[in-house]
Amino acid sequence: MNITMIGTGYVGLVSGACFSEMGSRVTCVDVDEKKIGNLEKGILPIYEPGLEAMVVQNYGEGLLRFSTSLANAMEQSRIYFIAVGTPPGEDGSADLSYVLGVAAEIGKNLEDYAVIVNKSTVPVGTADKVRAAIQKELDLRGVDVEFDVVSNPEFLKEGAAISDFMKPDRIIVGADTDRARKVMTRLYAPFSRNRDKIIFMSVRDAEMTKYAANSMLATKISFMNEVASICERLGVDVENVRKGIGSDSRIGYSFIYPGCGYGGSCFPKDVKALIRTSKENGFDPRLLSAVETRNQLQKQRLFQKIVDRFGNDLSGRLFAVWGLAFKPGTDDMREAPSVVLINDLVKAGATVRAYDPVAMNEARHEFPRQWFDDKRIVLAEQPYDALDNAHALVLVTEWKTFRQPDFNGMKERMAKWVIFDGRNQYDPEEVRESGFDYFGIGR
């Protein structure tokens, strides 16, 4: 099948590459000429394990193409995926300007029946706005062309997106006509050969499913972080509690790991957007509001523990930070706990020396350039280089390379033997027996 993928960000590029991997001919469209030029050279704008090789191979085989012209791309296909950004506004609402802008351009160039697929995460009712934007342009042109608008939300975990797309748990499709359902069934047939993974529903149901799914997962994380705070006050090890409740099949172990808060491009944005949508429709979402509040407080926990240990004035203190990305397997620092922590440390007078396996370039864009020029933030070339003369190590992201550190070797390089474990990766007894002061989350 021939597909046009509009947007070459995380969702668009992963989706386009995976469709091409299964034999479809995909044209990825973006208005950023530099990005398109780089993609044609095999230079990707994001880090995702396995993605670069897939893009390069399918581009070389002619199955994956890149273009800055939506009109030209539309001539080659009748399936148009909208996969552009929906950044949060100041009030938490999703900004639909890019989505509706693409819809208008589709309307200006639509000649034959097509299925327009919303892949971007959008509030309930967005498909109606997309349909209206397309129809408006058709009316201005004085043409009558049939089309369907479908909701097909993505459920990709950063760091495992290729596997999630190629071997999905489910494929949610919101479609209101049999014609659109037949097109989507054919499109996703290669991804559901061993069983039918497509779940059809109305468009609005599909839009809500995406928000509900991410909000549920965020709720589990915030719940466990709240339990961790209670455990600290009761002298209870939250890790034992986690194992105890996770063994219950009704609860499970997924997303109940206490830590320093969730981040990324999905959970924070989607929870805020659903809160906003609820309030706009006369409902006060108290649980979701509590989830968001708990997460904001949780991102401050590591700094609070550092202040409790070293005092409010951190002038002259050097802190090593391991992990900058919001989670392992990605270079994404959007809403990352590390950003909150490092901002607080520097503003309190401290110096930060940080290391992350893949997010170093992102970090250079995340903090004021002056902080790098003044050496308030230094990016270390290796994880142990960050430890030299440090007054404490702060683990923020649980990359595998940090899981079995050489505590004796660390002591030789650090000025003070203190570890703040923001992801409960280390055994407190082992760390303390090695001579370190240990501070975890809920333990």
Side-chain angles (χ1 to χ4, degrees):
M1 301 183 76
N2 293 331
I3 301 168
T4 298
M5 187 69 61
I6 308 161
T8 59
Y10 189 85
V11 174
L13 192 55
V14 170
S15 300
C18 290
F19 277 127
S20 69
E21 182 75 4
M22 286 299 197
S24 290
R25 294 187 178 275
V26 181
T27 301
C28 290
V29 179
D30 202 291
V31 296
D32 189 332
E33 293 183 4
K34 182 179 179 181
K35 183 188 287 188
I36 291 298
N38 283 336
L39 284 167
E40 290 177 333
K41 298 173 185 176
I43 303 172
L44 276 60
I46 59 172
Y47 172 81
E48 177 64 32
L51 182 60
E52 181 178 339
M54 184 178 287
V55 168
V56 170
Q57 177 179 334
N58 286 288
Y59 178 74
E61 294 176 356
L63 292 171
L64 184 61
R65 300 176 182 177
F66 302 102
S67 175
T68 57
S69 174
L70 176 56
N72 290 343
M74 287 178 62
E75 294 177 359
Q76 309 299 321
S77 71
R78 293 294 173 263
I79 305 175
Y80 312 132
F81 277 86
I82 300 178
V84 295
T86 54
E90 296 250 338
D91 59 0
S93 61
D95 181 355
L96 298 179
S97 59
Y98 298 116
V99 171
L100 297 180
V102 169
E105 189 170 355
I106 290 174
K108 292 175 182 178
N109 294 281
L110 193 62
E111 298 292 345
D112 296 299
Y113 173 79
V115 175
I116 294 89
V117 185
N118 267 337
K119 199 70 174 170
S120 302
T121 300
V122 293
V124 175
T126 299
D128 297 333
K129 296 179 180 179
V130 168
R131 188 178 295 107
I134 295 172
Q135 190 61 54
K136 178 181 177 181
E137 296 299 329
L138 292 175
D139 292 343
L140 289 173
R141 291 167 55 198
V143 297
D144 184 16
V145 181
E146 291 187 15
F147 66 93
D148 281 304
V149 177
V150 167
S151 175
N152 175 218
E154 53 84 17
F155 297 95
L156 306 177
K157 299 186 295 292
E158 293 192 44
I162 300 296
S163 176
D164 287 345
F165 198 101
M166 301 297 284
K167 301 176 182 178
D169 295 324
R170 77 289 202 199
I171 300 167
I172 302 297
V173 176
D176 294 331
T177 70
D178 287 337
R179 192 175 185 182
R181 282 188 281 269
K182 288 178 180 178
V183 171
M184 297 303 288
T185 298
R186 183 185 171 199
L187 176 65
Y188 276 108
F191 302 92
S192 56
R193 294 188 65 183
N194 62 338
R195 64 177 175 86
D196 187 6
K197 298 179 181 179
I198 300 179
I199 302 175
F200 284 111
M201 56 185 70
S202 76
V203 173
R204 295 173 71 88
D205 292 348
E207 291 172 335
M208 184 62 182
T209 297
K210 169 65 175 180
Y211 277 112
N214 279 351
S215 296
M216 181 67 223
L217 298 176
T219 299
K220 292 184 72 174
I221 295 171
S222 282
F223 170 79
M224 205 63 206
N225 284 332
E226 186 125 306
V227 169
S229 293
I230 298 171
C231 287
E232 284 188 7
R233 287 157 177 77
L234 297 177
V236 174
D237 189 339
V238 72
E239 286 301 308
N240 289 327
V241 175
R242 177 185 65 79
K243 294 173 185 176
I245 67 173
S247 60
D248 187 329
S249 60
R250 297 170 299 175
I251 299 172
Y253 290 103
S254 298
F255 292 90
I256 62 167
Y257 289 85
C260 48
Y262 59 77
S265 63
C266 294
F267 289 6
K269 176 172 68 72
D270 293 354
V271 170
K272 292 174 186 175
L274 189 53
I275 290 172
R276 178 69 179 178
T277 297
S278 301
K279 291 181 177 180
E280 287 176 346
N281 287 273
F283 179 74
D284 182 13
R286 296 185 180 182
L287 177 57
L288 291 176
S289 297
V291 169
E292 166 64 13
T293 299
R294 164 48 54 197
N295 192 54
Q296 294 303 319
L297 292 172
Q298 202 67 22
K299 289 182 180 180
Q300 299 169 6
R301 287 297 293 139
L302 284 174
F303 180 71
Q304 291 170 352
K305 288 175 178 289
I306 290 170
V307 167
D308 290 343
R309 175 65 171 77
F310 291 103
N312 291 315
D313 184 1
L314 300 178
S315 300
R317 302 284 187 182
L318 170 62
F319 293 91
V321 173
W322 279 0
L324 295 168
F326 85 93
K327 62 177 285 189
T330 180
D331 62 351
D332 194 345
M333 290 184 63
R334 286 173 289 184
E335 300 273 356
S338 65
V339 175
V340 176
L341 171 67
I342 292 174
N343 274 309
D344 287 344
L345 287 173
V346 173
K347 290 175 182 178
T351 299
V352 173
R353 192 182 294 127
Y355 173 81
D356 188 283
V358 301
M360 304 286 260
N361 287 333
E362 288 298 314
R364 291 184 175 90
H365 303 294
E366 194 64 47
F367 302 103
R369 181 175 179 178
Q370 192 64 40
W371 287 2
F372 293 100
D373 293 343
D374 295 342
K375 306 297 183 183
R376 301 297 303 280
I377 301 177
V378 178
L379 300 179
E381 293 186 3
Q382 301 293 334
Y384 284 82
D385 292 344
L387 301 175
D388 289 338
N389 299 313
H391 292 88
L393 165 66
V394 190
L395 176 73
V396 184
T397 313
E398 64 277 28
W399 287 93
K400 291 180 181 179
T401 190
F402 303 145
R403 289 186 181 177
Q404 292 285 347
D406 176 7
F407 293 119
N408 290 328
M410 292 166 61
K411 288 164 61 178
E412 294 176 1
R413 306 186 72 152
M414 296 176 67
K416 298 284 186 180
W417 301 344
V418 184
I419 293 178
F420 295 92
D421 185 358
R423 298 296 178 182
N424 288 357
Q425 289 294 289
Y426 306 134
D427 180 346
E429 289 189 15
E430 179 186 359
V431 175
R432 289 171 180 141
E433 287 175 359
S434 297
F436 284 85
D437 289 342
Y438 175 87
F439 301 90
I441 303 294
R443 55 193 325 195

